[in-house]
Amino acid sequence: MQALLSGETAEVLYLAGCADEQVQFHPQFDHVILLSAPSAVVIERLRTRTGNSYGREPEELRRVLEHIASVEPLLRNVADLEVDTTAPLDEVVETIIGFVESAPAGSPR
């Protein structure tokens, strides 16, 4: 992760994911954007996706819902923007790109 953040390979670098140790990298991020959806939507997406079976097992689903309840509020507190992903994909992408392009750049968190 540090190599990615230290590299000069891209004008804009988007990282997706969540990990316990991510907070150590926050000072190097220009922006933190939370992609969210109601639990019912997340459950339906996990149940119906075809490229990955994660979240279909009861224990996996329990863990996902636990993270929505416990981790998402923490992310919401540090996010510069929250995007509701129940909107159409093109709107979600436009919102993110519009925010990144309009927000002051070069001043890490």
Side-chain angles (χ1 to χ4, degrees):
M1 175 67 88
Q2 187 58 56
L4 268 175
L5 294 173
S6 298
E8 300 288 329
T9 59
E11 184 177 325
V12 177
L13 176 65
Y14 292 88
L15 302 172
C18 186
D20 292 337
E21 65 276 355
Q22 78 178 32
V23 72
Q24 75 188 32
F25 299 107
H26 283 186
Q28 295 175 267
F29 297 164
D30 289 328
H31 311 290
V32 173
I33 300 172
L34 172 61
L35 302 178
S36 64
S39 295
V41 172
V42 172
I43 291 168
E44 181 64 14
R45 288 176 177 172
L46 290 172
R47 188 183 70 72
T48 59
R49 71 180 178 176
T50 58
N52 184 327
S53 65
Y54 180 81
R56 291 195 185 127
E57 295 296 321
E59 179 58 27
E60 293 169 343
L61 182 57
R62 183 199 62 74
R63 186 171 178 209
V64 167
L65 294 174
E66 182 180 285
H67 284 162
I68 289 171
S70 64
V71 177
E72 190 172 285
L74 300 174
L75 294 172
R76 189 170 284 115
N77 286 336
V78 300
D80 300 305
L81 174 69
E82 180 174 0
V83 180
D84 179 350
T85 63
T86 59
L89 180 58
D90 60 334
E91 287 181 31
V92 171
V93 172
E94 286 177 26
T95 299
I96 294 168
I97 291 172
F99 175 79
V100 170
E101 289 178 346
S102 68
S107 53
R109 306 183 104 255

